[in-house]
Amino acid sequence: MQARSEQTRQALLHATAELIADGRLSDAGLVNICRRAGVSRGALYHHFSSTTALTAAVYEEARQRVEALTDEAFSGPAAEAPKRFLFALGEAMRTEKIVRAGMQLAADGSAGPPSLRDDLLATVHERVTEAHKETEGPAEDLADLAVVMAAGIETLGYTDPSWWDGDITQRLWRLLRPLFDRDRPNRGGERRI
């Protein structure tokens, strides 16, 4: 019985995420969610007190996923962290409707600020600044550039999903990598110029 209940809950989350990711928050109304999930209104209210509570749950699931991919991207060498993050963000936006939907939501399930997108961009700025604080170069400028890249990839992909493709990220990273590598100590302890 618990397995079926969890399946229903997941069907509601995924149906809501699909409606938001493929349309607008206003598309995720009670009737549309229940129809997409293949469940009754009573099933929705058994799991969630309202559609707002359901969209807040979509936000939370997306937040956890975005936090995990950010942590993973920034766990390796600092110079490559923005690249890993941009690839992971593009892939998640391309393949995970829960992430795409969550990026449009605030923690309370509304479309109002602050949104998961805003929180993510602030986190990226903080992580890049921290990763490059030991360099002689401008860590704040690198952080700003990483945020612009992340925001651009995320936003442009809604109208042209090829922006979420790793090929574009790879091409752009070839141009950006020297900036993130600049002024980092090399193996001999000397600074790269």
Side-chain angles (χ1 to χ4, degrees), residues 34-56:
C34 290
R35 183 179 300 134
R36 177 75 58 105
V39 302
S40 68
R41 292 176 187 183
L44 186 147
Y45 287 120
H46 174 75
H47 292 280
F48 301 96
S49 61
S50 65
T51 56
T52 301
L54 175 53
T55 56

Side-chain angles (χ1 to χ4, degrees), residues 130-146:
E130 178 66 24
H132 291 275
K133 72 179 181 185
E134 300 298 322
T135 66
E136 291 179 14
E140 286 285 321
D141 293 348
L142 293 175
D144 290 346
L145 182 58

Side-chain angles (χ1 to χ4, degrees), residues 102-179:
M103 293 295 273
Q104 301 175 50
L105 297 172
D108 65 359
S110 72
S115 66
L116 178 57
R117 177 185 191 268
D118 298 336
D119 295 343
L120 173 65
L121 296 176
T123 298
V124 168
H125 193 277
E126 181 181 299
R127 294 279 186 102
V128 172
T129 300
E130 178 66 24
H132 291 275
K133 72 179 181 185
E134 300 298 322
T135 66
E136 291 179 14
E140 286 285 321
D141 293 348
L142 293 175
D144 290 346
L145 182 58
V147 166
V148 167
M149 288 296 302
I153 287 170
E154 184 262 340
T155 302
L156 292 168
Y158 288 109
T159 55
D160 181 0
S162 69
W163 281 96
W164 295 332
D165 186 358
D167 292 340
I168 290 176
T169 302
Q170 183 64 39
R171 284 191 352 254
L172 293 171
W173 184 250
R174 280 195 300 267
L175 297 171
L176 297 175
R177 179 139 206 276
L179 298 173

Side-chain angles (χ1 to χ4, degrees), residues 56-68:
V58 168
Y59 167 89
E60 182 56 30
E61 195 166 309
R63 186 198 61 75
Q64 290 175 11
R65 177 67 182 117
V66 166
E67 188 175 282

